Amino acid sequence: MKYVLVTGGVVSGLGKGVTASSIGVVLKACGLRVTSIKIDPYLNTDAGTMSPFEHGEVFVLDDGGEVDLDLGNYERFLDVTLTRDNNITTGKIYQSVLEKERKGDYLGKTVQVVPHITDAIKDWIESVSLTPVDGKEGPADVCVIELGGTVGDIESMPFIEALRQLYFTVGQDNFCLIHVSLIPVLGVVGEQKTKPTQHSVRELRALGLTPHFLACRSAQPLLENTKQKLSQFCHVPVANILNIHDVPNIWHIPLLLQNQNAHDAILKQMDLMSVAKPVDLREWTKRAETFDNLTTSVRIAMVGKYVGLTDSYLSVVKALLHACVACSLKPSIDWIAASDLEDDSAQSTPEAYATAWKTLKGAACVLVPGGFGDRGIKGMILAAKYARENNVPYLGICLGMQISVIEFARSVLGLEKANSEEFDSQTPDLVVIFMPEGSKTHMGSTMRLGSRKTLFRTPDCIMSKLYNNSKHVDERHRHRYEVNPEVVGILEEAGLTFVGRDETGKRMEILELPGHPFYVGVQFHPEYKSRPGRPSAPFLGLIMAATGQLEAYVRSQQNGSI
C-alpha cells in the first residue's frame, strides 16, 4: 500500500479536505485506485453528537457511520462509498485500547500512549486502507490520509508519532507527505509572507516528519521569489511547491494540481510511474468550465436554523449545485434564519422579519433541511405553509418533511395543537412521534442511521419518475422521530399522499401533495448520495419545478423516452 499523508499548518480551515480529495482525483485520473482515511484528533467517538455550529454538518455513510464532513468531499470527488472505519478519532482509538486492557490483552504491561496507542493507530490505518471502497475486488493502490487540525496541536501528537513510525515501517517509496499551509499577504506591505509556513514545517520536522510537498494556500498565485524562499527554508524542491490559490469553484482544484504536474511528482515520489497511465481529467475540465460559463441563476430559499455557518448544510449546498448544473443553472441560495420568519420576530427584530419574508417571497423554490430542537420551528411551519398555499416548489428533508406534516395537520385538518413529540410531548394531536426503537437515555449512534430501502406504493408519482421509474430507492437516514402511523389515514383522506414507505409499510418515507407543482417531503437525506454529474432526484425535481422543466421531464419519463 502506498500512503499519501496530508497535514495542515498555521491555521485550521485551509481546505485540507478538498486538497486531499483533489489529490485523490488526480491520482485516480492516472488509472490508480484510491481510498481515503480522515483522522479527527477530537475525543468524541464520532461526529454524531456535535453541533453543526461547532464542526459543520454531520455526514452519514451507508453503514450508518456519523462522520466528519470531509468524508463527504472524498465520496463526492472520488465517487466511492466509505465506511465508518475510514474516519479515525481519538475516542475510537482510546476506546479500542481500553477495551483490550479490560479484557486482559495487555496483561502485566503498563498501557501507554507509545507503543499501545500508536500501534492501535497504525494497525487501524493499515487494515482500513486494504478495504475496497470503489465496488471492485482487492485493495486500492493508494490511500490518502488527512490528519485533521493543525500541526502542533496537543490532540494530534499521538497520530503524528504513529504516522512517523508508519513512514519508517513502509519506507520512503511508499509514503508521500504533503503539508498544506497558508501564505498570507499583509495589507500594509502587500508581500506574500513565508514565515508562518517556515515555522509550521519546522514544527513538523521536529516531530520527525519532513514534507515532500508544500501545498500553499493563497489568494493570488505564488510569486517565483516566494517559491524560492519556501524551498530554501523548508527543504522542499521548488518543483514540489504546489500553489492552491483561490479559484471560482472547487472543481478547478484537481486541474490546478494537474497544471503544476503534481501527479507526476507524487507518482515519482511513490515509485508509481511504471503502473500509472497518462492523466485524464477531461470530465473535470468540462465540469469546471461548464459551471464557469453558466449565466442564468435560480433563487432558492433555504430556511434553516444553522444558517450562520454554511458548512452546517454543506451536502445540501453541494446537492443543489449538482442539480442546478444539470439544469444549466447557477444556484443562488438565499439563507433565511427560520426564527426571523416568526411573529415574535416582527416585534423584537422588525427589520430582520421584513427582510426574511421579502427574501422568501422572492425565491423560486423553498427548501427546509434537517435539524434538531425546537428553535425556529414556527418559522419553518410558516415557510411550508407559504409554499403550499402559493404553489411554490417545496422540498422538506427529514425535519423539513415532519414540518410539512405538522403544517398540513394544523391548516387543513384544523388540528391547531398538531405537533411533534420532539417539541411538545403533551399535545393531544401527535402527528410526529419518537421512534419506538429509539433510546431516550443515550444520544450517540442511537438514531435510525445509514442506507435503508424505501418502497414506492405507486409508480404514478413524481418521485418514482424522478428516480427513473424505480420501484424502490436506497437512501441514507439520520432521525429519531417519524410520522405517527395512526394519523396517516386522515392525512391521506385530506389530500396528503405518502407515496414511499419502508419495508414494513408503517414508516412514512416520502410525501407528495397532488395538484401542487412540487410539494415533496422525504424522511431520508438524499443529499448524502448526490454526486457531480449524478444529481440527487429530489433536488433535481425541486430545481426543475422552480424553472418550469419538471412537467416535460415527467411526461418524457412516462413515455419512456429518457
Side-chain angles (χ1 to χ4, degrees), residues 161-404:
E161 173 57 22
L163 290 160
R164 183 197 66 77
Q165 291 178 23
L166 181 68
Y167 178 22
F168 183 73
T169 306
V170 301
Q172 61 180 14
D173 283 351
N174 298 312
F175 200 92
C176 175
L177 172 52
I178 301 173
H179 188 59
V180 182
S181 185
L182 177 69
I183 305 293
V185 172
L186 298 184
V188 183
V189 187
E191 179 192 355
Q192 293 179 336
K193 292 291 184 183
T194 63
K195 194 64 76 178
T197 300
Q198 291 177 43
H199 285 305
S200 182
V201 171
R202 187 179 302 146
E203 178 91 41
L204 193 57
R205 292 178 73 187
L207 296 168
L209 285 169
T210 300
H212 301 106
F213 292 83
L214 292 180
C216 299
R217 290 283 289 109
S218 59
Q220 300 297 326
L222 282 191
L223 300 172
E224 198 54 43
N225 69 325
T226 307
K227 284 189 178 184
Q228 294 290 347
K229 203 170 176 184
L230 284 167
S231 175
Q232 188 177 355
F233 291 110
C234 298
H235 209 67
V236 175
V238 172
N240 288 6
I241 294 174
L242 309 171
N243 182 207
I244 302 175
H245 55 78
D246 292 353
V247 287
N249 68 74
I250 60 170
W251 293 337
H252 279 282
I253 296 174
L255 308 179
L256 265 186
L257 293 172
Q258 179 196 8
N259 293 340
Q260 296 172 69
N261 290 317
H263 51 292
D264 282 343
I266 294 168
L267 293 170
K268 278 177 192 160
Q269 170 61 36
M270 295 192 295
D271 195 22
L272 282 168
M273 289 297 281
S274 57
V275 295
K277 297 173 186 171
V279 65
D280 180 6
L281 280 171
R282 283 174 296 182
E283 192 183 329
W284 276 90
T285 307
K286 185 181 173 188
R287 188 175 293 141
E289 288 175 353
T290 299
F291 181 74
D292 287 346
N293 294 326
L294 293 174
T295 51
T296 311
S297 62
V298 55
R299 290 186 62 186
I300 305 150
M302 177 92 86
V303 183
K305 56 197 334 182
Y306 315 116
V307 295
L309 178 69
T310 54
D311 270 3
S312 304
Y313 299 116
L314 185 64
S315 290
V316 174
V317 171
K318 297 300 178 192
L320 285 170
L321 172 65
H322 302 157
C324 285
V325 171
C327 296
S328 300
L329 296 162
K330 262 191 171 166
S332 175
I333 300 173
D334 294 326
W335 297 91
I336 301 174
S339 51
D340 286 347
L341 294 169
E342 296 172 5
D343 296 339
D344 294 348
S345 182
Q347 266 71 49
S348 55
T349 51
E351 280 185 25
Y353 175 82
T355 304
W357 273 103
K358 185 181 176 186
T359 306
L360 181 68
K361 288 175 179 177
C365 57
V366 177
L367 194 156
V368 177
F372 298 92
D374 60 1
R375 182 174 58 82
I377 294 304
K378 289 177 187 173
M380 292 179 189
I381 290 171
L382 288 166
K385 182 175 182 171
Y386 166 78
R388 183 180 59 79
E389 291 181 343
N390 293 280
N391 285 336
V392 176
Y394 173 89
L395 175 60
I397 297 171
C398 197
L399 173 64
M401 170 179 167
Q402 296 167 10
I403 289 293
S404 59

Side-chain angles (χ1 to χ4, degrees), residues 464-480:
S464 171
K465 293 180 178 68
L466 284 166
Y467 277 107
N468 297 319
N469 295 316
S470 301
K471 291 181 179 174
H472 67 85
V473 291
D474 289 289
E475 293 280 13
R476 297 175 184 177
H477 292 70
R478 185 176 186 250
H479 65 105
R480 51 167 61 91

